[in-house]
Amino acid sequence: MRSVLLALILATSAVHAEGFGAAGLLSGKNKEDLPPIILSSGAPLSDAPWVLKSGTYYEFEIQGDGSQELALVGPEFFRAIWVDEIVVEGLEIRPLGLDSIEFDEAGEMEIGFVAIKPGRYYLKIPGTTGETQRVEITIE
């Protein structure tokens, strides 16, 4: 029993000595920046689909130009990720869950999250059907 406990302590110490926690999920080596989503009347949301890796930490910005009151919905996507924080004008929000976001005027927010559940998802402007008003997301 003592040898098993000693082995666990040594393994944990080695991981922490490398500068990140046991899982490493929130370490800088596990973080990727995604291209921003632009909310502007009639403009495409994104240039390309997102392909994400489960267990990786991502950050992206949503930029609204105020040309129209616009929202993004994607409840299935938001349930397939763990939202670490949403930053709006320097204020950090740590939500338990999320269905959608909305910009009533010009502004910017940043969302940090860990991709969890593999599958195909989307973020889109509600009530639209055009491909440019939607970001296709795959978590592998």
Side-chain angles (χ1 to χ4, degrees), residues 45-114:
L45 290 179
S46 180
D47 293 333
W50 293 353
V51 178
L52 312 177
K53 183 178 173 187
S54 181
T56 300
Y57 187 92
Y58 294 94
E59 286 184 350
F60 72 99
E61 291 182 354
I62 303 172
Q63 303 164 352
D65 70 358
S67 59
Q68 185 176 344
E69 192 173 307
L70 292 169
L72 277 180
V73 297
E76 293 87 2
F77 171 68
F78 288 123
R79 280 162 188 63
I81 65 174
W82 172 71
V83 179
D84 175 39
E85 68 179 5
I86 300 171
V87 181
V88 179
E89 295 184 17
L91 302 172
E92 296 178 4
I93 304 158
R94 302 196 191 280
L96 182 58
L98 195 59
D99 278 328
S100 65
I101 57 99
E102 185 171 330
F103 282 71
D104 292 340
E105 56 188 50
E108 187 174 299
M109 73 173 56
E110 181 177 85
I111 299 177
F113 68 94
V114 176

